[in-house]
Amino acid sequence: MRIILSTALVATALLGCGRPAHQPLDGAALEANDGREWLTYGRTYDEQRFSPLTDINAASIGRLGLAWSAEFKADRGQEATPLVHDGVLYTTTAWSQVYALDARTGAQLWHYDPKPPGSTGLRACCDVVNRGVALWNDRLFFGALDGRLIALNTKTGAPIWSVQTTDPARSYTITGAPRVVKGNVIIGNAGAEFGVRGYVSAYSADAGRLVWRFYTTPNPDGQPDGAASDDVLAEKAAQTWFDGVWRQTGGGGTVWDAIVYDSKSELLFVGVGNGTPWNHKFRSGGRGDNLFLASIVALRPETGEYVWHYQTTPGESWDYTATQPIMIADIMLDGQRRRVVMQAPKNGFFYVLDAATGHLISADKFAPVDWATHVDLTTGRPVESGSARYENGAVVWHSPAPGGAHNWQPMAFNPNEELVYIPVSVAPGRYSDAEGYRVLSAAWNTGIVRIVPLPTASGAPSVPEPPSERLNQLVAWAPTAKAPRWTVDLGARRGGGVLATAAGLVFQAANDQLIAYDAATGKQVWSHGTGGLVRAAPITYAIGDEQYIAVMVGYVAEGSIQARYPGRLLAFKLGGIQKVPPYPPRPAPAPLDLNVIEPSAGDAQAGALVYRDYCAVCHEGARGSLPNLTRSPMIAARASFEAVVFAGALALTGMASFRDHLSDAQADNLRAYLLWRARSEATPAAAATEDR
Ligand code: CA
């Protein structure tokens, strides 16, 4: 058996059966290769996640089984796209740990733990995840949760250089993968829920020297930064910001995911996130487009010089980031082959832009969207629906919710079908103005009312239900027809990132099943259990004459909760006969005994607001696996509660001390509230109402 390559690459394959092991891993290799290795986040610079490997195909896929699995030290979310080079698979786990594994057997070659302080977990909006590494020659680069960019030796895992890319005094994190372009390592950061000023930086691969930095929002003090962004911020962005708390928060606009290079136009495209706070009224007086929030910005990779931008959501007010994955492709449009940038950001429109100029070619809804009726192709701006804005007192439900119609889960492209496969998960979100909002440290800054149950009026309505259900789909979007060609409805299962291959297959996990579909029709042709929930994208590579499919596995579904077990990587091949190892049974945690509770003198009503502002978003929101505080034995006594909340007893696991953020009275009130919740949830008459 040998690896069959798509026709376009047969010539390359005949010449040398892949690159010799010692050929430099440089821009040429990242631009195009025979698919036997997976060398950068989206496989090649264009980030189509389309592999020319065809050994695993419709005829052979019945024999696809598990070749090996590897288990990591870190539990929690696993979002990385592994890379493969010279027979070694490199991946990252939660808490920014790096693993090098034998890509044929899964045997561990080395492991590097940058040990970000556990307290940085507090700053990670959506879990302590990491989406992967970058390779360049004999070096590997990755971002640590605490804002360091670190270079390692690929053979040994030994550190070569490390640079702090962020101000440790502010709530920056790094979860995204770096990219390397022309010897520059490009890295962004995250933290726009907490209050930071977004930027993207380039460091020299050889020495970790800062080459350029581009800020995505104006400097709140009105001064130039001495950065690549100075001129364009003064010329285009400054006049789009007005009086508001952006001057305290930095405005947001973090570049936390998409950083994509196009070798044809020689431009670097970065996707920019939401504003801080989300609410445009508090951020900027409800005025102005607030450039470059929610935009795709094209830069010169050598200098960071601005070339063009396209803003998807002017005056962003819904957490509609545009940092979702970007891909470059050549597609036929009106009889012409055009080189385009494509993105399906949170706001629910699929954008096609000319890569060289940023000219908007099309923008069409790929999911239920009701915040805007359409995008005006003449002005390039969305036409908001009449009820889009909530900043003047309205309570509105809009699709998409802040999680978006599509988030970080990578999409893939099949150039033969001219289809983009989009992981869609969309539900309505409730937006209403948080009158009296003030900037909070160590908490999300949205300026939107968050609903928590309140200890008043028993029998009052519970937390409001959304007007419609969440929709989970794999959508095969035809950018030329501006419509889906086929859609797979995943029901209650959430889909992960996507891989497409020249064999006409599309791989995507739905919860704990890895599934292969026919690229042209969406017909399911194969599936295999993964033992845990998969949100990451699969990759494919070849070692010797065998093709592999590999994917990261994160949480484990236990009933209705996501349980934390060590993360894993599963690798499949034809004829693989291994079984996914069962997770060892664990004793159930000791339940909270309501009969042995030390009463709290605090005020549960006031504690509800503390809970809403500081606890709810992680413990019942964006990080679904964190403990339910209303069931935690920790709340039973003041001493155990203070050990965790003030003394930082669990800081190593990410639960940092709130000593600097909460007073003694607030902590007492919070415990009183949690005790009320614990009691009311133990009886069926739990009361709840809107908090304000
Ligand atoms: Ca956000």
Side-chain angles (χ1 to χ4, degrees):
M1 181 173 58
R2 69 181 180 83
I3 296 291
I4 304 162
L5 299 165
S6 68
T7 39
L9 287 151
V10 163
T12 326
L14 292 176
L15 287 173
C17 197
R19 294 177 314 106
H22 300 295
Q23 187 168 327
L25 199 175
D26 56 11
L30 298 184
E31 166 65 16
N33 58 66
D34 62 14
R36 296 178 59 85
E37 302 193 319
W38 192 285
L39 295 174
T40 185
Y41 187 69
R43 195 184 83 77
T44 42
Y45 273 141
D46 53 20
E47 306 227 352
Q48 293 179 0
R49 291 176 181 263
F50 176 74
S51 169
L53 300 183
T54 57
D55 209 38
I56 296 168
N57 54 46
S60 66
I61 198 163
R63 294 189 294 114
L64 187 62
L66 187 66
W68 55 264
S69 64
E71 189 161 295
F72 307 113
K73 288 194 170 72
D75 60 15
R76 302 180 62 153
Q78 311 294 348
E79 298 186 354
T81 295
L83 304 190
V84 175
H85 177 52
D86 277 356
V88 181
L89 183 149
Y90 302 93
T91 195
T92 56
T93 68
W95 293 108
S96 344
Q97 298 182 34
V98 186
Y99 283 83
L101 309 175
D102 183 317
R104 191 176 59 81
T105 66
Q108 184 175 315
L109 304 175
W110 54 259
H111 165 232
Y112 182 82
D113 183 357
K115 296 188 168 66
S119 57
T120 49
L122 197 68
R123 303 171 165 189
C125 75
C126 312
D127 210 350
V128 293
V129 293
N130 189 286
R131 283 183 293 281
V133 306
L135 296 172
W136 187 257
N137 292 326
D138 56 355
R139 293 185 179 186
L140 172 156
F141 308 92
F142 73 103
L145 192 67
D146 56 12
R148 283 173 291 162
L149 178 67
I150 298 171
L152 304 179
N153 179 308
T154 52
K155 292 284 181 293
T156 64
I160 297 168
W161 53 256
S162 171
V163 58
Q164 182 68 38
T165 69
T166 56
D167 177 356
R170 302 207 69 146
S171 289
Y172 286 103
T173 53
I174 298 179
T175 59
R179 315 296 200 278
V180 187
V181 179
K182 298 176 185 265
N184 286 339
V185 186
I186 321 289
I187 188 74
N189 47 56
E193 266 57 58
F194 296 89
V196 298
R197 182 181 175 212
Y199 57 87
V200 57
S201 314
Y203 291 86
S204 66
D206 59 345
R209 176 180 52 85
L210 180 65
V211 180
W212 55 259
R213 177 164 290 172
F214 186 95
Y215 289 92
T216 59
T217 66
N219 188 336
D221 72 13
Q223 299 301 309
D225 298 292
S229 41
D230 280 357
D231 288 351
V232 71
L233 289 177
E235 288 163 17
K236 291 186 189 293
Q239 64 270 32
T240 70
W241 291 78
F242 293 84
D243 280 347
V245 300
W246 75 275
R247 293 186 196 279
Q248 286 175 64
T249 65
T254 48
V255 179
W256 58 262
D257 196 61
I259 299 172
V260 177
Y261 173 61
D262 174 26
S263 63
K264 300 290 193 303
S265 62
E266 296 198 79
L267 295 177
L268 184 74
F269 306 111
V270 302
V272 183
N274 58 278
T276 318
W278 296 351
N279 188 325
H280 190 220
K281 180 179 85 175
F282 298 119
R283 187 175 69 241
S284 178
R287 301 171 65 201
D289 288 352
N290 292 181
L291 291 172
F292 292 103
L293 297 183
S295 300
I296 297 173
V297 183
L299 307 173
R300 301 220 180 277
E302 303 90 341
T303 60
E305 180 195 348
Y306 166 93
V307 179
W308 59 255
H309 79 276
Y310 175 76
Q311 188 174 42
T312 62
T313 312
E316 195 284 306
S317 205
W318 306 270
D319 192 24
Y320 287 167
T321 68
T323 193
Q324 278 57 52
I326 290 171
M327 69 169 61
I328 318 291
D330 295 295
I331 60 173
M332 287 300 287
L333 289 167
D334 300 326
Q336 268 191 307
R337 188 150 290 274
R338 306 250 329 239
R339 189 147 183 95
V340 298
V341 172
M342 298 191 284
Q343 191 191 42
K346 277 189 182 180
N347 76 7
F349 285 91
F350 188 92
Y351 294 90
V352 181
L353 306 168
D354 183 280
T357 65
H359 175 74
L360 177 66
I361 297 169
S362 62
D364 297 276
K365 295 175 180 179
F366 64 87
V369 170
D370 58 17
W371 70 276
T373 58
H374 64 286
V375 175
D376 182 329
L377 293 181
T378 311
T379 63
R381 299 174 71 90
V383 178
E384 294 180 5
S385 57
S387 62
R389 300 270 163 187
Y390 58 86
E391 295 96 319
N392 292 312
V395 176
V396 297
W397 285 90
H398 277 308
S399 274
H406 168 224
N407 207 329
W408 60 269
Q409 290 82 358
M411 52 190 196
F413 181 63
N414 181 321
N416 304 323
E417 300 287 340
E418 289 210 339
L419 289 176
V420 180
Y421 305 98
I422 312 170
V424 171
S425 180
V426 61
R430 186 179 185 280
Y431 295 92
S432 71
D433 194 46
E435 197 53 52
Y437 160 78
R438 69 191 197 288
V439 177
L440 296 173
S441 62
W444 278 33
N445 284 272
T446 64
I448 290 172
V449 174
R450 171 172 282 275
I451 307 293
V452 298
L454 277 185
T456 53
S458 77
S462 60
V463 174
E465 288 291 319
S468 59
E469 299 271 292
R470 175 171 291 279
L471 192 66
N472 298 302
Q473 295 179 325
L474 175 61
V475 173
W477 181 265
T480 46
K482 298 178 246 181
R485 186 181 303 167
W486 54 258
T487 297
V488 172
D489 202 327
L490 301 174
R493 299 175 300 166
R494 297 282 286 264
V498 186
L499 163 71
T501 76
L505 294 175
V506 175
F507 291 87
Q508 185 202 31
N511 276 5
D512 56 3
Q513 293 282 314
L514 182 60
I515 303 172
Y517 301 95
D518 182 297
T521 64
K523 179 174 175 286
Q524 180 174 324
V525 296
W526 174 86
S527 75
H528 197 291
T530 58
L533 302 177
V534 175
R535 299 288 182 255
I539 63 158
T540 188
Y541 60 93
I543 303 287
D545 59 2
E546 292 182 302
Q547 182 185 353
Y548 292 78
I549 307 280
V551 71
M552 297 289 288
V553 182
Y555 296 111
V556 175
E558 283 186 350
S560 61
I561 63 157
Q562 295 181 14
R564 280 157 56 179
Y565 286 90
R568 285 178 172 171
L569 188 139
L570 303 181
F572 298 85
K573 67 174 184 180
L574 296 178
I577 54 164
Q578 300 300 311
K579 296 263 185 291
V580 177
Y583 288 95
R586 299 193 295 199
L592 172 63
D593 184 349
L594 290 167
N595 297 313
V596 288
I597 281 177
E598 179 190 342
S600 170
D603 171 16
Q605 189 79 33
L609 302 186
V610 179
Y611 179 80
R612 179 198 64 193
D613 288 345
Y614 289 97
C615 314
V617 72
C618 292
H619 287 276
E620 357 185 8
R623 291 185 257 180
S625 69
L626 295 191
N628 179 346
L629 298 181
T630 66
R631 311 255 170 90
S632 171
M634 175 271 288
I635 68 174
R638 189 177 184 192
S640 54
F641 187 73
E642 290 194 346
V644 173
V645 175
F646 281 163
L650 299 178
L652 281 177
T653 66
M655 174 56 199
S657 166
F658 279 73
R659 180 75 269 186
D660 293 341
H661 311 290
L662 300 180
S663 67
D664 287 343
Q666 282 179 304
D668 277 339
N669 294 342
L670 173 59
R671 195 169 76 85
Y673 172 71
L674 291 169
L675 293 176
W676 169 80
R677 282 276 297 266
R679 288 200 189 89
S680 62
E681 286 170 11
T683 60
T689 186
E690 185 171 332
D691 55 345
R692 65 181 180 193

